[in-house]
Amino acid sequence: MTVLTMTPERIDSLRKRSDQHKFDHGSVLVLSGPATRTGAARLAAMAALRVGAGLVTVGAPRDALPECAAHLTGIMLREVSEALDLSLILAEDQRINALCIGPGFGLEPANGATLRAALATHRAVVLDADALTLMAQDRELFTQLHGGCVLTPHAGEFRRLFPGLGEDGDGFTLDEKKDATQRAADLSGAVVLYKGAQTTIAAPGCPATVLDTTSEQDAAWLATAGAGDVLAGLVTGLLARGNPPVQAAETGALLHAMAAREAGPGLIAEDLPQQIPGIYRRLGI
Ligand SMILES: NC(=O)C1=CN([C@@H]2O[C@H](COP(=O)(O)OP(=O)(O)OC[C@H]3O[C@@H](n4cnc5c(N)ncnc54)[C@H](OP(=O)(O)O)[C@@H]3O)[C@@H](O)[C@H]2O)[C@@H](O)CC1
Ligand SMILES: Nc1ncnc2c1ncn2[C@@H]1O[C@H](COP(=O)(O)OP(=O)(O)O)[C@@H](O)[C@H]1O
């Protein structure tokens, strides 16, 4: 079994060199839901910025712009009210090289069109939460997935998106979870990061890797609202920084668990991105 560790190569890939500027570290766009539902996207955006993406922008519907502006400082803001807005932004700004869609996004039918527009550009994209549910409801969207996509389902989302592959009432052994993750990656053509105390990650045609935190009390505190949104942002930031999708998923999961250890019992989602500087310092980055 391949167990994930923070190897010297992984640590090296996280460094910034003195001859680089912000655009060398990629540009992220995180799509938000409407007013009163912007928190999840903001958590993801903060995580993407902390992990080292050069620029991070939240794309939000018009009614959500004041709420986002009141909360965001180092993160930029654009209006994305419909699919056309996203297509125009992505056509105009070729530097945006990683997207995050799903946290707090909403399940309105028009969001399916926005998701389709994102997939059509073949940009690297993390699909989480509502993006996964939208794809479960519209199988045509599922067929648009490509090798630059990373899917980050929890058990409920996995069951919806991959009927017949997810856990039944008896739960999964680790081998069963690995097998389901590999099959899901093969079916979707995307990297699949299946969340939980045992996180399994697979790329199409490759065996799954495992991050097992079942014996860790601190990691159990990740069972809190928004922790998954932070993970989605970490992976998106790592994609923007040029990591291949499977490496971005693996390094993101490792940093997420390290952030939980660092923050400890009582942690809430907002605490997780703030742990990254301390973790990087201790890793010698
Ligand atoms: N700060 C914010 O703004 C936050 C905003 N958020 C946003 O809220 C939106 C809804 O997302 P969501 O995940 O809460 O709900 P949903 O898609 O209905 O799935 C939940 C159902 O699945 C099932 N289930 C099974 N296993 C499970 C598991 N391991 N973990 C969790 N669920 C599991 C479970 O069913 P049960 O097991 O109870 O039968 C449950 O009924 C989404 O946009 C998200 O980004 C949140 O991120 C929080 C912070
Ligand atoms: N008991 C646990 N032990 C370790 N990690 C956990 C545990 N419960 C949840 N997590 C992690 O916390 C995150 C929760 O994500 P998710 O269920 O999508 O929550 P949200 O939608 O509220 O952000 C995932 O990364 C998951 O692996």
Side-chain angles (χ1 to χ4, degrees):
M1 177 184 3
T2 311
V3 175
L4 289 180
T5 54
M6 214 18 123
T7 57
E9 296 75 30
R10 235 181 254 288
I11 293 171
D12 247 2
S13 75
L14 292 168
R15 295 186 209 287
K16 291 192 176 185
R17 296 192 317 269
S18 57
D19 62 341
Q20 293 177 304
H21 59 68
K22 64 185 176 198
F23 289 112
D24 295 323
H25 301 295
S27 178
V28 163
L29 179 65
V30 181
L31 295 189
S32 168
T36 75
R37 298 215 309 257
T38 67
R42 289 187 281 104
L43 282 168
M46 186 56 80
L49 193 61
R50 283 281 187 202
V51 86
L55 282 85
V56 178
T57 304
V58 168
R62 178 180 288 265
D63 73 330
L65 293 173
E67 182 179 314
C68 287
H71 286 282
L72 301 175
T73 305
I75 290 165
M76 293 172 292
L77 192 53
R78 296 285 304 260
E79 178 182 345
V80 178
S81 293
E82 55 177 351
L84 181 61
D85 296 329
L86 179 65
S87 298
L88 290 173
I89 288 172
L90 294 180
E92 160 208 308
D93 189 346
Q94 294 294 327
R95 290 194 284 211
I96 295 172
N97 62 343
L99 308 173
C100 178
I101 308 179
F105 189 47
L107 299 173
E108 293 78 5
N111 289 0
T114 306
L115 184 49
R116 189 171 285 108
L119 291 170
T121 68
H122 282 256
R123 303 282 225 287
V125 57
V126 173
L127 299 168
D128 184 42
D130 297 336
L132 302 173
T133 304
L134 283 166
M135 279 190 295
Q137 293 168 352
D138 177 353
R139 300 311 290 187
E140 194 274 329
L141 269 177
F142 183 82
T143 67
Q144 304 303 309
L145 290 170
H146 54 78
C149 300
V150 179
L151 314 182
T152 55
H154 61 49
E157 290 153 352
F158 190 94
R159 246 194 326 258
R160 275 176 232 152
L161 192 56
F162 300 105
L165 282 189
E167 295 171 55
D168 58 24
D170 299 332
F172 260 165
T173 64
L174 179 54
D175 277 342
E176 286 169 337
K177 184 165 182 176
K178 280 176 59 187
D179 189 49
T181 311
Q182 274 166 238
R183 284 165 186 251
D186 290 342
L187 257 178
S188 61
V191 168
V192 176
L193 184 164
Y194 188 163
K195 294 185 283 198
Q198 292 174 321
T199 293
T200 47
I201 299 171
C206 298
T209 53
V210 176
L211 178 63
D212 189 349
T213 60
T214 38
S215 61
E216 296 185 32
Q217 277 307 305
D218 292 342
W221 281 82
L222 285 172
T224 180
D229 306 323
V230 171
L231 175 67
L234 292 173
V235 177
T236 312
L238 292 165
L239 282 174
R241 294 191 64 184
N243 290 272
V246 75
Q247 190 179 325
E250 291 175 350
T251 307
L254 282 164
L255 288 171
H256 192 241
M258 291 170 88
R261 281 176 215 132
E262 220 38 46
L267 76 82
I268 59 171
E270 285 92 325
D271 300 333
L272 296 168
Q274 294 177 28
Q275 308 307 318
I276 297 294
I279 292 168
Y280 278 4
R281 188 161 298 282
R282 266 181 285 291
L283 290 172
I285 288 163

